Amino acid sequence: MPALAAISGLGLSELSREQVGTARDLAIDAVLAAVSDAGLKPGDVDGLLITKSPSAAAGTLPLHLRNDLSLGALRVLAAVEGEGTSVLQAVQHAALLVRNGMARHVVCVFSDARVQASGSAAGYAKAMELTGISGWEAQQGLLGATGAYALAARRLMLAREWNERDLGAYAIACRAWAALNPQAFLRTPLTLDDYLRSRTIAEPLRLFDCAFAVNGAAAVVVSAASHVSTRPPVFIHGAGQGHTGPALSADAASGVAMAVHGALQHAGIALEEVRMVQAYDAFSFVGLHLLEACGFCAHGEAGDFVRSGATSPGGHLPFNTGGGHLSGFYLQGMTPLCEAVVQARKQAGERQADATNAILVTGTGGCLEYHAAMVLGSEERP
Amino acid sequence: MTAPLLAHSSYEEAFQSFLARGELRHPCCRACGAVLGYAARCCPQGHAQVAWKSASGGATLVSWTVYHQAYDARFPVPFVVGEVRLDEGPSVIAGLDAQAASLTAGQRLRLRTPVAGRLIFEPTE
């Protein structure tokens, strides 16, 4: 099956723990960089899909971004909102649009600027709605994503018999990749003792179980595969989603398998043919869950799988090769997507993996409620 | 501790007004009687009307977290929050009046008398 579409350009703004501009400013930088990287001029762009954190204020990235960028007449302009799946959903929509001739070059952008100079967590305190009664979690004091994910972490740790050392092994493997990535923020090798000594945010989650938040933006240009001229395109082979139930139901967390298996089926490949995974892992256990839920290892064995080195540099399933959200940087769905593009282009330097023809990329939103997945690769066929 | 009521719709208003009277209720289908989770506004059969049934107050502990990072002065740390499954079936986020170290999954809980905007459970022993 020919590829659905291609990613022809990738651009990032400055990424920083400091305040380096509004989300809107940073989005402009990322889009211009991506368009230039694709060998295009802003006037060549005929689609713009905008994504942001669900916790960012309404109006953070308005449709006026089109005007900010002095883009010409667009055939597609929208904000895409799927919480942590927004970026992959935008790229999926863009791929279908260019494949069906409704646009030629669609830019998908994500930007976030919630890290405050004071180091305050205020930008990350918004309560996640789990029960289904609006405003309820904030009233019970379940503030921020970390507390909500802590409940899910304990539930999965009990069900799968994971312990803190399993979560630590995951964080250590991600840090090993980050050490090879000049763009990663946390590059000092992590030991199990370091992990166990890191402060607890919300039990059972420690600081090193959590994403490393940054201010920054990233954008990609999605083009019809035949319209990519300047550099080898990164092919989009398959796409899937899975939204299987409310957060407090037993079904919700199974959505990742539905999304991943959907994307693999769409791409026409088997799980065993996946050569690399770039996962949305805002919390360590989310990566362990993906490995088990999708069948990369058996239930209860993700800790051993990661400790065996399978997902680390040199392992047979390179996983979050830029350090992921924990050690690389947290730009939600753009973190795994950007790393997949860099790997597929063979631009990953010291951390470059050999096989780049079947890269699984995932996105996760809500509290494990929303899932999206794609298969990307450097070859026309996966 | 009481928090202000946040009534976003008639559904939230109904749930919160029962709490304010000291009653915990859960939704079920007015047409077929199916017990619904709090996230549902109609039953899977497509019947749209929700009725509110009294909950017994018995529950089991599914999961819990203890905050060590403070996000709001109203909730000083360490602060315990639980995911609780009512005996009738629906799950709800609630406060726990218990020593964190004594909590175990599957533990039996009972509801303390509800107050406006808050649900607090305690271990039965």
Side-chain angles (χ1 to χ4, degrees), chain A residues 25-169:
Chain A
D25 295 334
L26 296 168
I28 294 166
D29 292 346
V31 171
L32 293 178
V35 170
S36 166
D37 183 60
L40 301 172
K41 300 283 182 225
D44 299 323
V45 171
D46 57 3
L48 177 64
L49 295 175
I50 301 167
T51 65
K52 68 175 185 63
S53 163
S55 299
T60 300
L61 291 177
L63 297 183
H64 285 155
L65 192 58
R66 191 213 78 91
N67 303 338
D68 297 350
L69 288 157
S70 298
L71 296 177
L74 298 184
R75 294 203 276 178
V76 174
L77 174 65
V80 175
E81 164 50 13
E83 301 213 354
T85 66
S86 296
V87 167
L88 285 198
Q89 290 213 37
V91 173
Q92 293 181 3
H93 296 322
L96 296 176
L97 288 162
V98 300
R99 181 180 179 81
N100 288 300
M102 291 175 66
R104 285 164 64 95
H105 302 290
V106 179
V107 176
C108 303
V109 62
F110 172 87
S111 185
D112 203 14
R114 288 178 294 144
V115 180
Q116 299 178 3
S118 60
S120 157
Y124 299 86
K126 186 180 173 195
M128 301 194 89
E129 306 254 316
L130 304 181
T131 303
I133 298 159
S134 296
W136 181 250
E137 277 64 30
Q139 286 185 318
Q140 312 316 307
L142 190 72
L143 300 175
T146 308
Y149 271 86
L151 294 174
R154 190 185 301 276
R155 211 187 308 124
L156 283 167
M157 288 172 81
L158 289 163
R160 308 282 181 76
E161 300 184 349
W162 301 331
N163 59 35
E164 57 189 2
R165 289 164 183 270
D166 297 324
L167 272 60

Side-chain angles (χ1 to χ4, degrees), chain A residues 253-277:
Chain A
S254 68
V256 63
M258 181 179 168
V260 165
H261 294 148
L264 296 177
Q265 191 174 22
H266 196 205
I269 65 168
L271 188 74
E272 296 70 32
E273 295 175 82
V274 171
R275 289 287 169 264
M276 185 189 301
V277 180

Side-chain angles (χ1 to χ4, degrees), chain A residues 125 131-143 146-147 150-151 154-155 158 199-203 248, chain B residues 4-5 8 12 15-16 19 38-39 41 63-69 71-72 75 79 83 92-93 105 117-119:
Chain A
T131 303
I133 298 159
S134 296
W136 181 250
E137 277 64 30
Q139 286 185 318
Q140 312 316 307
L142 190 72
L143 300 175
T146 308
L151 294 174
R154 190 185 301 276
R155 211 187 308 124
L158 289 163
R199 68 187 171 92
T200 300
I201 306 297
E203 295 178 29
L248 300 188
Chain B
L5 285 179
H8 291 260
E12 275 75 16
F15 175 77
Q16 296 273 17
L19 277 193
Y38 284 104
R41 300 295 186 269
S63 186
W64 69 97
T65 184
V66 185
Y67 279 86
H68 293 258
Q69 157 91 45
Y71 287 88
D72 189 309
F75 302 101
F79 178 74
E83 175 184 338
V92 64
I93 297 300
R118 287 282 278 158
L119 271 183

Side-chain angles (χ1 to χ4, degrees), chain B residues 29 76 82 105 116:
Chain B
C29 177

Side-chain angles (χ1 to χ4, degrees), chain B residues 37-119:
Chain B
Y38 284 104
R41 300 295 186 269
C42 72
C43 95
Q45 304 305 315
H47 307 135
Q49 293 263 316
V50 165
W52 291 92
K53 269 195 183 160
S54 287
S56 65
T60 54
L61 184 60
V62 176
S63 186
W64 69 97
T65 184
V66 185
Y67 279 86
H68 293 258
Q69 157 91 45
Y71 287 88
D72 189 309
R74 287 177 303 153
F75 302 101
V77 296
F79 178 74
V80 186
V81 188
E83 175 184 338
V84 165
R85 184 171 299 128
L86 305 182
D87 288 351
E88 291 77 10
S91 288
V92 64
I93 297 300
L96 297 172
D97 183 10
Q99 292 298 315
S102 72
L103 296 171
T104 55
Q107 192 168 17
R108 290 294 301 161
L109 303 170
R110 70 175 158 235
L111 177 66
R112 291 219 317 236
T113 304
V115 294
R118 287 282 278 158
L119 271 183

Side-chain angles (χ1 to χ4, degrees), chain A:
Chain A
M1 193 171 64
L4 282 179
I7 293 174
S8 58
L10 169 67
L12 281 89
S13 72
E14 180 180 1
L15 307 184
S16 178
R17 290 284 270 186
E18 309 295 322
Q19 289 181 299
V20 288
T22 65
R24 196 161 158 177
D25 295 334
L26 296 168
I28 294 166
D29 292 346
V31 171
L32 293 178
V35 170
S36 166
D37 183 60
L40 301 172
K41 300 283 182 225
D44 299 323
V45 171
D46 57 3
L48 177 64
L49 295 175
I50 301 167
T51 65
K52 68 175 185 63
S53 163
S55 299
T60 300
L61 291 177
L63 297 183
H64 285 155
L65 192 58
R66 191 213 78 91
N67 303 338
D68 297 350
L69 288 157
S70 298
L71 296 177
L74 298 184
R75 294 203 276 178
V76 174
L77 174 65
V80 175
E81 164 50 13
E83 301 213 354
T85 66
S86 296
V87 167
L88 285 198
Q89 290 213 37
V91 173
Q92 293 181 3
H93 296 322
L96 296 176
L97 288 162
V98 300
R99 181 180 179 81
N100 288 300
M102 291 175 66
R104 285 164 64 95
H105 302 290
V106 179
V107 176
C108 303
V109 62
F110 172 87
S111 185
D112 203 14
R114 288 178 294 144
V115 180
Q116 299 178 3
S118 60
S120 157
Y124 299 86
K126 186 180 173 195
M128 301 194 89
E129 306 254 316
L130 304 181
T131 303
I133 298 159
S134 296
W136 181 250
E137 277 64 30
Q139 286 185 318
Q140 312 316 307
L142 190 72
L143 300 175
T146 308
Y149 271 86
L151 294 174
R154 190 185 301 276
R155 211 187 308 124
L156 283 167
M157 288 172 81
L158 289 163
R160 308 282 181 76
E161 300 184 349
W162 301 331
N163 59 35
E164 57 189 2
R165 289 164 183 270
D166 297 324
L167 272 60
Y170 182 86
I172 290 166
C174 291
R175 188 67 66 85
W177 281 113
L180 307 176
N181 177 10
Q183 211 166 21
F185 277 74
L186 298 177
R187 304 188 60 199
T188 311
L190 187 69
T191 67
L192 187 58
D193 278 347
D194 297 333
Y195 167 82
L196 293 172
R197 277 199 303 265
S198 73
R199 68 187 171 92
T200 300
I201 306 297
E203 295 178 29
L205 298 178
R206 293 173 163 84
L207 182 67
F208 289 155
D209 290 307
C210 302
F212 191 84
V214 300
N215 294 327
V220 294
V221 183
V222 178
S223 307
S226 54
H227 289 154
V228 182
S229 50
T230 56
R231 61 161 77 248
V234 177
F235 294 97
I236 298 173
H237 295 300
Q241 296 184 24
H243 314 282
T244 45
L248 300 188
S249 71
D251 298 332
S254 68
V256 63
M258 181 179 168
V260 165
H261 294 148
L264 296 177
Q265 191 174 22
H266 196 205
I269 65 168
L271 188 74
E272 296 70 32
E273 295 175 82
V274 171
R275 289 287 169 264
M276 185 189 301
V277 180
Q278 305 296 350
Y280 191 115
D281 64 343
F283 298 97
S284 55
F285 74 97
V286 177
L288 296 178
H289 172 59
L290 181 151
L291 287 167
E292 293 188 4
C294 297
F296 289 106
C297 62
H299 276 207
E301 291 181 3
D304 288 338
F305 186 72
V306 170
R307 259 186 303 274
S308 77
T311 62
S312 299
H316 76 266
L317 187 69
F319 193 102
N320 283 5
T321 55
H325 285 149
L326 304 190
S327 291
F329 52 83
Y330 179 54
L331 282 188
Q332 301 205 350
M334 277 296 178
T335 302
L337 180 66
C338 290
E339 182 64 15
V341 171
V342 170
Q343 285 281 352
R345 287 174 164 185
K346 310 285 188 189
Q347 292 174 335
E350 273 190 275
R351 67 187 193 282
Q352 181 65 53
D354 295 333
T356 56
N357 61 328
I359 305 172
L360 176 66
V361 187
T362 70
T364 298
C367 194
L368 298 176
E369 294 166 88
Y370 315 118
H371 300 273
M374 299 185 78
V375 177
L376 304 185
S378 48
E379 312 296 328
E380 272 191 275
R381 287 169 195 281

